[in-house]
Amino acid sequence: MSSRPAALERRFRGRITGVGTTSGVRIVVGMWERSPFGAFADVFLELPDGTSVLLAPDEIVAAYVSGTYRFDTVSVVDVSARRTARGVELSAGPLRASIDVGTISPLGRVVRIVPKRIARDPRWLAAIDPVARLIAPGSGTAGSAGNGRREYYGVTGAHDVTGVQGTWAGEPLGSLAPLDPPVAFGFASLPRIPQVVDVETTIREPV
């Protein structure tokens, strides 16, 4: 009697910061405390002309992330995302940014209702995905990650982003703006209102 082979499961736990700017540059920063590749930070950018860019700290991360999400350009650069009393100080190749983080957001108050062990469970995330997409268009908690992979986003906390300053390729980013329209790197975006989310991402791969 044959049985379906178990999927390989990779888990990434950390924080994702999503920021829009008045220059049209949109920034998604992953600060991963635990992952199959150790602790690292990476940056997804969407430029005003729609070009998508991955800034990765090494070739291994670049290969895995670009095999999971869609990018027009992939660059391996020194990536530093440091938490400060005000928020996050970010340096990644031609990107420099200071991101100010405020108090818990309305989304953060909602997700705190669900115990963390449930909020991170792929079965729960698959079940609530249709509701998540209705509440926050463009977002989702479960979907395809390409190459036969399935991805699950388990958000356990969220804080508002209150400001951003910096430059991309020497040009000012401008001030804070919504993530609207949604960024389009994978099956889901981040909330329209810029914020930082505590998240565990689970990626299941065929074996």
Side-chain angles (χ1 to χ4, degrees), residues 7-200:
L8 173 65
E9 192 168 272
R10 300 182 191 264
R11 291 178 180 262
F12 298 75
R13 185 175 294 180
R15 307 182 102 199
I16 298 176
T17 303
V19 176
T21 69
T22 53
S23 69
V25 176
R26 281 102 67 74
I27 306 167
V28 177
V29 185
M31 300 173 65
W32 303 107
E33 299 164 0
R34 293 173 54 189
S35 87
F37 311 113
F40 71 93
D42 59 357
V43 181
F44 300 1
L45 292 176
E46 193 168 87
L47 305 183
D49 65 359
T51 300
S52 56
V53 179
L54 168 64
L55 303 175
D58 58 46
E59 295 286 356
I60 294 173
V61 170
Y64 187 80
V65 175
S66 63
T68 305
Y69 304 95
R70 298 184 296 270
F71 301 98
D72 298 311
T73 302
V74 177
S75 296
V76 175
V77 298
D78 290 332
V79 180
S80 171
R82 181 173 58 89
R83 295 175 66 171
T84 69
R86 292 187 60 175
V88 177
E89 287 292 326
L90 176 63
S91 172
L95 177 65
R96 300 287 185 276
S98 297
I99 301 169
D100 300 331
V101 179
T103 58
I104 188 170
S105 67
L107 172 64
R109 286 191 285 273
V110 170
V111 299
R112 286 172 68 178
I113 297 170
V114 182
K116 288 184 178 181
R117 64 180 179 80
I118 296 175
R120 296 169 176 155
D121 190 321
R123 293 169 298 180
W124 165 258
L125 296 169
I128 67 168
D129 180 67
V131 177
R133 293 177 187 274
L134 283 174
I135 294 173
S139 67
T141 56
S144 172
N147 297 311
R149 300 169 180 167
R150 295 287 297 174
E151 185 170 15
Y152 305 87
Y153 284 132
V155 175
T156 58
H159 287 72
D160 285 322
V161 170
T162 57
V164 62
Q165 309 83 38
T167 59
W168 165 250
E171 296 295 322
L173 291 171
S175 55
L176 191 65
L179 281 166
D180 187 21
V183 291
F185 305 109
F187 76 86
S189 181
L190 287 164
R192 179 180 182 276
I193 299 172
Q195 53 196 290
V196 180
V197 297
D198 300 314
V199 64
E200 181 169 289

